[in-house]
Amino acid sequence: EGTLEFEIVGLKGGRRWLETRAVPLRDDVSAKQLVLGITRDVTERRRAVAALRESEARFRALTELSSDWYWEQDAELRFVGTAGSSDERGGITPEAHVGLRRWELPRTELVGQSWDEHRRVLEARLPFEDLLLRRASAQGEVRYVSVAGRPMFDAAGAFAGYHGIAKDVTARIASELA
């Protein structure tokens, strides 16, 4: 039993991808080994997969231009992953977020609102922007981070968590305070 994908080139140069699946059979009457197979054109599926990869690459490139990193949280609002530039200047690496909720991050304060206000937004499954965090490194260096997030829902419409971006805005805050 097996599957094989292969590309064919037509007489006029057109290219198609085919998938063949085969299952061995035994003919009990003649005692011969037979193969039952089916071949189908998978060109459109391959094009869709390639287009998706290209779209994801464009999205990642755009995200890297617009933010320092992006993040994802599960339905319990715990970080399950981060990617992008490191936040080590603020004393917390992106990997150190995993398993924690935003308000559980060490040496992190919310600026301009309370954690209870932010949790109400999250419980209502609303998007948020410009959530300003103040972080202090273990050495006392202060950094400011702006965070934006959107709720995620699964195919059945159930809440699946949040994903978003974060950007170090320390230089902007310093100039506003000067």
Side-chain angles (χ1 to χ4, degrees):
E1 190 170 324
T3 302
L4 174 67
E5 279 193 23
F6 55 94
E7 184 179 28
I8 61 170
V9 179
L11 295 175
K12 295 183 180 180
R15 296 178 175 269
R16 307 295 294 175
W17 279 92
L18 301 178
E19 174 188 79
T20 297
R21 292 180 184 225
V23 178
L25 298 175
R26 179 172 171 83
D27 181 357
D28 291 334
V29 175
S30 67
K32 290 183 181 179
Q33 291 288 345
L34 304 172
V35 175
L36 174 63
I38 187 167
T39 300
R40 65 182 178 147
D41 187 331
V42 293
T43 304
E44 292 307 314
R45 182 186 75 199
R46 281 194 153 243
R47 286 181 183 151
V49 168
L52 179 61
R53 280 192 193 119
E54 192 175 304
S55 175
E56 287 175 347
R58 283 193 313 269
F59 173 76
R60 283 193 200 290
L62 183 59
T63 300
E64 288 170 5
L65 287 173
S66 65
S67 65
D68 290 331
W69 64 94
Y70 56 97
W71 52 267
E72 192 170 307
Q73 294 173 306
D74 64 17
E76 280 76 46
L77 305 175
R78 286 181 167 73
F79 287 100
V80 294
T82 62
S85 302
S86 177
D87 185 31
E88 291 172 2
R89 293 172 300 191
I92 304 171
T93 64
E95 299 78 26
H97 288 74
V98 175
L100 299 177
R101 293 179 177 101
R102 188 168 285 111
W103 50 89
E104 296 171 339
L105 296 173
R107 299 178 307 278
T108 301
E109 301 171 13
L110 189 54
V111 178
Q113 66 175 288
S114 71
W115 287 118
D116 287 337
E117 290 172 301
H118 180 57
R119 280 193 281 256
R120 282 193 288 278
V121 168
L122 300 176
E123 288 166 6
R125 312 301 187 228
L126 297 172
F128 62 90
E129 294 181 9
D130 299 321
L131 182 74
L132 187 59
L133 303 178
R134 180 183 184 271
R135 293 184 169 170
S137 71
Q139 296 75 31
E141 180 187 5
V142 174
R143 309 295 301 175
Y144 289 89
V145 177
S146 178
V147 182
R150 299 284 180 265
M152 298 182 301
F153 300 92
D154 65 19
F159 176 67
Y162 270 84
H163 60 167
I165 59 172
K167 185 162 189 70
D168 186 321
V169 294
T170 302
R172 186 191 84 202
I173 297 298
S175 69
E176 290 173 4
L177 295 175

